[in-house]
Amino acid sequence: MASIELERVSRRFANGTYGVRDIDLKIEDGEFVIFLGPSGCGKSTTLRMIAGLESISSGDLRIGGRSVNNVAPRDRNVAVVFQNYALYPHMSVWHNMAFGLKMRGVGLEEIDQKVAKAADLLGLNLLLQRKPGALSGGQRQRVALGRAIVREPEAFLLDEPLSNLDAQLRAEMRLELVKLHRRLGRTMVHVTHDQVEAMTMGDRICIMRDGQMIQTGRPLDVYANPADIFVARFLATPPMNLIPAQLTHADDKLVVQIDPTTHVGVPPKHYAPYVQKAGGPITAGIRAEDIYETQARPEWQRISVKVVAVEALGAENVLIGLLGRDKPIEIQARLGRHFFAPVDSIVDLYVDTEPMHLFDTETGKAVARPPLPAGR
């Protein structure tokens, strides 16, 4: 195993633009870290710099405490699993898994032992003589992982390895990768743009945007305490509802005033950190899962919403509606699977305001307050 450390690492292209800029990050031995972000944010570029497939313009990159800025990819003892699997179509599964070891001059008996061990770990024993064209997408993915495992690297670098799989197989492979990490105990870095992968697989997520690392932390901690509007919206499906409003005082209370007829109160426990923004514009962030069809707790606050659509997803229904009268804002709410309301009807819903976030309208940064516990 090995730690991976990036100290002010940047990648500057010939035209002067930056793919990645001033990344500071330490990945601990045996940690499973997710790089999450939209296309073009720099997550794959960062992974390729760790692998040695992309040069570093400035900064220092260390693996196991050793600077590897000028170390060739084959000498870094890391294994990369690509999105397209990169299998040799004319070779059997056995030969695909053994190829890298042969190139390093490993003896046939040792190769056979390592391939057999990896095949057993990944459930490939009965497929060793097949060629990639005769395998399913999930099986090809396992072969690509097996080829990496036989090398016994210090770290695994996974570049969107599940993106080519269908939804059901992707869910199965998420669990398989988590199990594999537990069995091997090796450092893993996984690149994805899928929020579900990020929330369910990693020990820690690193959210990237425009070549910079915006926020890192345990998935549920980042979910409960987003650093800014980008993180708040990106790390949720449906995305967080962002509502332009005014933060005002009313009857010794602090109120998020959406329009003259619509408001929600700030919980008293959050008065102190939020009062500094009173009297000015604010963006209120309310997650779809914090809006309910019934008032289970007295502190939940009623809002009236005009129904635009109801998406029936089986396990739940997602309501899309308009909040406010003067300049209605479209919001979404995740409700029970038995909820239904006709289009254009007005329904009363209830907001749990404790996990509500307030963001600075100009900067998009979250207004600082004591962090919420994970899961809120």
Side-chain angles (χ1 to χ4, degrees), residues 197-216:
E197 287 181 28
M199 291 297 295
T200 58
M201 294 175 64
D203 300 319
R204 189 158 47 118
I205 55 176
C206 304
I207 299 181
M208 298 187 67
R209 181 188 186 189
D210 298 333
Q212 295 184 310
M213 207 152 281
I214 305 300
Q215 187 173 2
T216 66

Side-chain angles (χ1 to χ4, degrees), residues 87-255:
L87 302 178
Y88 297 107
H90 63 288
M91 292 185 182
S92 68
V93 169
W94 190 95
H95 284 95
N96 264 283
M97 292 172 66
F99 184 78
L101 298 178
K102 285 184 176 180
M103 292 297 98
R104 288 169 172 76
V106 178
L108 182 58
E109 183 177 350
E110 185 178 350
I111 290 176
D112 204 38
Q113 290 175 351
K114 289 186 175 183
V115 170
K117 184 178 178 180
D120 185 60
L121 183 67
L122 296 167
L124 295 172
N125 307 71
L126 301 179
L127 305 176
L128 290 174
Q129 300 311 312
R130 293 191 188 180
K131 292 183 178 179
L135 303 176
S136 68
Q139 289 167 338
R140 288 196 292 270
Q141 181 62 4
R142 286 183 171 87
V143 176
L145 286 167
R147 185 175 55 190
I149 289 169
V150 297
R151 289 182 49 196
E152 299 180 347
E154 292 182 334
F156 291 87
L157 310 178
L158 313 176
D159 192 3
E160 301 207 49
L162 309 184
S163 60
N164 291 335
L165 305 180
D166 61 52
Q168 181 177 347
L169 192 53
R170 191 160 59 243
E172 294 173 1
M173 285 303 300
R174 284 200 306 266
L175 181 57
E176 291 301 317
L177 281 174
V178 171
K179 290 178 180 177
L180 183 64
H181 175 250
R182 290 173 183 167
R183 290 170 189 159
L184 297 176
R186 300 297 174 92
T187 306
M188 286 190 178
V189 182
H190 181 109
V191 163
T192 185
H193 60 268
D194 187 297
Q195 299 95 325
V196 176
E197 287 181 28
M199 291 297 295
T200 58
M201 294 175 64
D203 300 319
R204 189 158 47 118
I205 55 176
C206 304
I207 299 181
M208 298 187 67
R209 181 188 186 189
D210 298 333
Q212 295 184 310
M213 207 152 281
I214 305 300
Q215 187 173 2
T216 66
R218 294 186 303 169
L220 288 177
D221 287 336
V222 175
Y223 176 86
N225 303 285
D228 61 16
I229 285 175
F230 171 77
V231 175
R233 284 187 61 83
F234 195 79
L235 200 63
T237 305
M240 177 182 280
N241 298 302
L242 296 173
I243 304 168
Q246 294 283 323
L247 189 62
T248 63
H249 285 289
D251 299 327
D252 296 325
K253 296 180 180 179
L254 203 55
V255 171

Side-chain angles (χ1 to χ4, degrees), residues 44-91:
S44 288
T45 299
T46 304
L47 189 87
R48 290 173 63 84
M49 286 193 294
I50 296 172
L53 304 175
E54 197 86 43
S55 61
I56 296 172
S57 303
S58 61
D60 191 30
L61 174 61
R62 297 183 293 275
I63 298 176
R66 177 181 65 133
S67 179
V68 295
N69 286 30
N70 300 309
V71 175
R74 63 172 293 158
D75 298 323
R76 296 190 181 197
N77 198 21
V78 297
V80 185
V81 178
F82 296 100
Q83 178 180 351
N84 63 1
Y85 315 138
L87 302 178
Y88 297 107
H90 63 288
M91 292 185 182

